[in-house]
Amino acid sequence: MSEEKELAYNEHLKTDSNYLRGTLAEGLANTSTGGLTEDEQQLLKFHGCYLQDDRDLRAGRRKKKLEKAFSFLIRVRVPGGVATPEQWIKMDDLANTYANGTIKLTTRQAFQLHGVIKTQLKKTIQEINSSAMDTIAACGDVNRNVMCNPNPFLSQAHADALEISKGISEHLTPHTGAYHEIWLDGEKVESSKEETEPIYGKTYLPRKFKIAVAIPPSNDVDIHANDLSFIAILEDDKVVGYNVSVGGGMGMTHGVEATYPRLADIIGFCTPDQVVDVAEKVVMVQRDFGDRTDRKHARLKYTIDDREPGWFLKTLNEYLGYDLEPVREFEFTHNGDQFGWMEDDSGNYHLNLFIEGGRLFEKEREGLRKIAEIHKGDFRLTGNQNLIIANIAASERKAIEAILSEYGLLESHEQSALRLNSIACVALPTCGLALAEAERGLPGVIDELDKVVAEAGLSEDAITIRMTGCPNGCGRPFLAEIAFVGRAPGKYNLYLGGGHAGDRLNKLFREAVTREEAIELLRPIIEDYSKSRNKGEKFGDFVIRAGYVKATINGLDFHQNVNLSN
Ligand code: SRM
Ligand code: SF4
């Protein structure tokens, strides 16, 4: 059993780090290298940054015996995905001045900057903080950015959910003074004064922890990819409470059966005033029972699966000191975004733009910056890497429309429904774990598939398609109707049959195929779907009914949690 096994190296690292300080300050001050030691890199994640190198340049630099082209990724937390125009302008400035000229909108409603060099890292983080944003706990073994449905339409329900997500985020932010000390030149905590982390303790969590708040019928935050989610239950347009779901997650390793994506279990219901308490206690159960010996087996999904059914709810109720109420009824119908202009009851406009792969290059940035300079509403990052320019007053609309048109953004959502429902993770060249292209690979695949769907008369049919450069699952591929999961350079495992609402895992259809081979494999299936589907039948449901992928795996119903690598 895990108690007898050696603790994972990172557990010692955390214990000895003096609440996430380690030698980070010294490492950052060392100008003889653009990198950091392995230990410093691990601790840096808790501060929201990763050391990376440009993988396109690796071979060339190796030949010239040069150090890797090191730079840093900075992840900026945006609770609930809502940013002010001032914050937008700040991110734009930083992308231009210190990063690689792009802004990445992530699958968890955060901003990412890539390519920041070591000597400018501290300055960049200081500027992020000067705009009332931060990077603490954007990564690391703690709770991450709390996701929330960003649709400003569901006005009161959204406002409630946004408040709840901010409340959870604040409550679970680490207390350590290390962040202020290292990045913001804050006062050092005197050694006689014992620092504490009331929720996490000295060793924080066994692994990363993710929380989302969803408002049905939209599952745009993909609750089944989260360790913990709160699903709003509405009565007469008012949120009366939240269903609680636990144990979702995506990450797996090719060929390692003990790792697998898992759907979350919906275990109970709580009232709005109990949400923060429930979040805290779920985190504490994972803190106390999660596997600290094997980082590939340390997420909440494994803590739950390692024990008998019912254990988690029973233990959570004990930690809470009261019982969660029974699950209430709800229905998710989709996990994608709704695009284009919308008008709300108060006469404000909202525009959901499609941002391919979540990446904003110079031209789009320039246009959006001009909008931020005049916009009185806000910017909302969606969990599908897209952007809503929200709360545009009727008097503002014309001016904003003119800028959008000038920069080619007005038509951003005039795409096939397939492309509008796509997600690609970052992958190459910055991600150190990528086995294949994703952000740079998926647009070309969709160009080809667009021809197939157009010929089949399906350009208006929403089919979710996701590509990731490896099976860690940052683009939540295992919940898509079609998924490409990087296996090796130019090779992908092709998965089919996820639920259109992100409520069913897909199934491995073909291993290690090229993008071209995958398109040829998909062509007859898409044609068959066009001819033989039932009225309203979604692509993911069709491929199961038509037998392209099996409805059961090892005797388990496809809807249940199954180890896909079996
Ligand atoms: Fe992720 C690691 C990018 C959402 C599962 N993820 C990484 C790293 C930091 C690579 C690394 O560890 O060196 C990637 C940085 C690439 C780069 O150059 O930017 C990375 N993950 C991303 C983002 C930027 C993808 C995107 O294109 O939007 C997303 C940032 C979200 C955010 O704002 O916080 C991102 N990552 C996700 C998601 C989706 C989600 O949370 O909704 C998942 C699957 C859900 C889950 O956690 O189960 C995800 N990322 C992982 C994993 C696998 C975790 C596991 O349990 O096995 C890793 C690897 C790890 O932790 O060891 C990882
Ligand atoms: Fe990198 Fe893999 Fe995540 Fe893509 S899925 S960003 S390749 S870790």
Side-chain angles (χ1 to χ4, degrees):
M1 261 311 278
S2 57
E3 294 84 78
E4 292 151 26
K5 288 206 248 155
E6 233 334 91
L7 284 177
Y9 178 76
N10 284 37
E11 293 301 315
H12 300 293
L13 181 64
K14 286 181 275 183
T15 309
D16 298 340
S17 74
N18 184 20
Y19 294 100
L20 310 179
R21 289 172 179 81
T23 57
L24 210 41
E26 292 82 345
L28 288 165
N30 175 3
T31 50
S32 68
T33 166
L36 291 171
T37 65
E38 186 52 44
D39 285 3
E40 287 159 2
Q41 287 178 48
Q42 292 302 320
L43 291 176
L44 184 68
K45 294 182 187 179
F46 289 83
H47 299 254
C49 311
Y50 285 77
L51 177 67
Q52 303 187 312
D53 72 289
D54 187 331
R55 294 180 59 184
D56 287 347
L57 305 180
R58 252 189 212 176
R61 291 183 68 95
R62 199 182 305 125
K63 254 194 213 149
K64 291 188 192 152
K65 296 198 163 43
L66 289 171
E67 181 175 81
K68 286 178 180 168
F70 287 126
S71 67
F72 292 84
L73 142 63
I74 305 179
R75 193 173 284 164
V76 183
R77 288 202 307 172
V78 190
V82 182
T84 63
E86 294 71 33
Q87 289 171 329
W88 187 273
I89 290 171
K90 176 57 77 181
M91 289 311 299
D92 187 68
D93 283 341
L94 296 175
N96 205 28
T97 317
Y98 301 119
N100 65 359
T102 71
I103 298 175
K104 169 87 179 180
L105 310 181
T106 76
T107 51
R108 293 194 71 77
Q109 302 174 286
F111 292 115
Q112 272 190 193
L113 296 175
H114 290 98
V116 179
I117 58 169
K118 189 172 168 181
T119 47
Q120 295 181 332
L121 187 60
K122 188 164 167 176
K123 177 101 191 77
T124 313
I125 292 183
Q126 286 181 343
E127 292 205 23
I128 289 167
N129 279 269
S130 75
S131 254
M133 295 181 285
D134 65 29
T135 66
I136 188 169
C139 324
D141 298 344
V142 282
N143 173 54
R144 307 288 185 91
N145 202 31
V146 177
M147 293 178 79
C148 174
N149 179 306
N151 190 343
F153 264 103
L154 300 154
S155 41
Q156 196 47 48
H158 178 268
D160 289 357
L162 182 62
E163 276 318 299
I164 292 261
S165 67
K166 281 186 183 160
I168 301 168
S169 186
E170 271 161 34
H171 190 69
L172 296 177
T173 299
H175 284 213
T176 175
Y179 186 82
H180 273 76
E181 224 173 275
I182 295 171
W183 306 104
L184 309 177
D185 297 326
E187 226 176 278
K188 279 212 166 68
V189 176
E190 293 161 33
S191 52
S192 57
K193 208 159 82 187
E194 181 58 44
E195 227 180 344
T196 55
E197 284 285 9
I199 298 173
Y200 294 117
K202 244 190 162 111
T203 47
Y204 295 84
L205 294 179
R207 205 60 164 88
K208 57 176 71 168
F209 195 89
K210 299 183 173 179
I211 303 181
V213 181
I215 307 178
S218 176
N219 185 21
D220 57 354
V221 294
D222 264 332
I223 65 139
H224 290 291
N226 283 273
D227 296 275
L228 167 64
S229 298
F230 294 94
I231 304 160
I233 302 298
L234 275 74
E235 277 173 21
D236 302 325
D237 288 338
K238 277 190 66 185
V239 178
V240 293
Y242 296 83
N243 278 345
V244 178
S245 80
V246 293
M250 295 283 98
M252 60 171 271
T253 306
H254 290 306
V256 180
E257 287 191 6
T259 65
Y260 48 87
R262 182 186 192 278
L263 294 182
D265 302 322
I266 303 173
I267 57 167
F269 170 90
C270 68
T271 55
D273 58 314
Q274 291 171 333
V275 167
V276 172
D277 189 33
V278 172
E280 177 187 293
K281 298 304 183 303
V282 171
V283 162
M284 285 174 160
V285 175
Q286 165 66 355
R287 175 197 67 191
D288 297 345
F289 293 91
D291 185 351
R292 291 180 184 264
T293 68
D294 177 359
R295 290 182 63 79
K296 288 214 171 289
H297 187 256
R299 294 291 294 273
L300 179 60
K301 60 185 177 181
Y302 302 118
T303 313
I304 293 172
D305 279 352
D306 285 350
R307 293 167 175 81
E308 70 274 11
W311 170 84
F312 187 83
L313 179 58
K314 187 171 159 281
T315 309
L316 175 62
N317 286 340
E318 280 165 18
Y319 271 60
L320 286 168
Y322 54 88
D323 287 358
L324 290 184
E325 291 175 35
V327 173
R328 305 258 177 114
E329 268 190 36
F330 71 98
E331 190 193 11
F332 286 135
T333 55
H334 61 276
N335 60 355
D337 291 340
Q338 317 294 309
F339 292 93
W341 285 103
M342 291 169 240
E343 186 185 354
D344 68 20
D345 294 343
S346 56
N348 277 343
Y349 291 94
H350 313 277
L351 178 64
N352 196 342
L353 298 173
F354 171 65
I355 310 293
E356 191 150 35
R359 183 73 66 176
L360 296 166
F361 293 94
E362 203 180 336
K363 187 171 172 207
E364 295 98 332
R365 269 188 35 228
E366 211 179 301
L368 290 166
R369 188 193 172 94
K370 280 198 174 170
I371 290 173
E373 281 164 359
I374 58 165
H375 186 33
K376 307 274 185 308
D378 50 46
F379 289 85
R380 295 177 182 226
L381 282 52
T382 82
N384 288 302
Q385 303 174 320
N386 296 309
L387 178 67
I388 303 177
I389 305 177
N391 294 311
I392 303 172
S395 55
E396 260 191 324
R397 180 172 163 163
K398 252 200 166 145
I400 288 184
E401 220 161 25
I403 300 170
L404 287 167
S405 177
E406 186 186 340
Y407 286 89
L409 287 161
L410 195 56
E411 303 79 24
S412 74
H413 57 282
E414 289 173 13
Q415 312 277 350
S416 69
L418 182 71
R419 197 181 298 270
L420 292 176
N421 284 279
S422 65
I423 291 183
C425 76
V426 179
L428 293 164
T430 53
C431 179
L433 306 177
L435 305 170
E437 297 281 357
E439 192 187 307
R440 299 191 299 195
L442 186 58
V445 169
I446 297 180
D447 287 346
E448 292 308 310
L449 286 178
D450 263 354
K451 295 178 199 157
V452 181
V453 293
E455 275 165 30
L458 297 173
S459 297
E460 306 289 314
D461 287 71
I463 300 172
T464 52
I465 179 166
R466 296 176 174 181
M467 180 183 277
T468 56
C470 85
N472 281 317
C474 301
R476 302 189 289 270
F478 304 112
L479 295 168
E481 293 175 288
I482 302 174
F484 290 67
V485 177
R487 179 72 193 256
K491 294 276 174 74
Y492 297 83
N493 282 359
L494 181 60
Y495 288 79
L496 296 179
H500 186 72
D503 48 1
R504 180 180 60 229
L505 292 173
N506 52 22
K507 168 86 174 103
L508 182 59
F509 176 65
R510 284 291 185 282
E511 273 188 86
V513 290
T514 63
R515 288 181 289 217
E516 295 72 24
E517 286 164 347
I519 291 161
E520 288 319 307
L521 285 164
L522 286 167
R523 184 188 302 278
I525 304 177
I526 291 171
E527 285 166 358
D528 191 13
Y529 172 57
S530 167
K531 289 192 198 104
S532 319
R533 64 180 163 165
N534 292 330
K535 191 162 182 283
E537 190 173 28
K538 295 295 180 190
F539 183 79
D541 299 335
F542 170 78
V543 293
I544 296 169
R545 182 174 64 79
Y548 290 107
V549 286
K550 278 193 234 135
T552 59
I553 305 171
N554 293 344
L556 286 171
D557 185 271
F558 206 57
H559 291 76
Q560 289 174 258
N561 302 318
V562 285
N563 180 342
L564 284 187
S565 49
N566 280 338

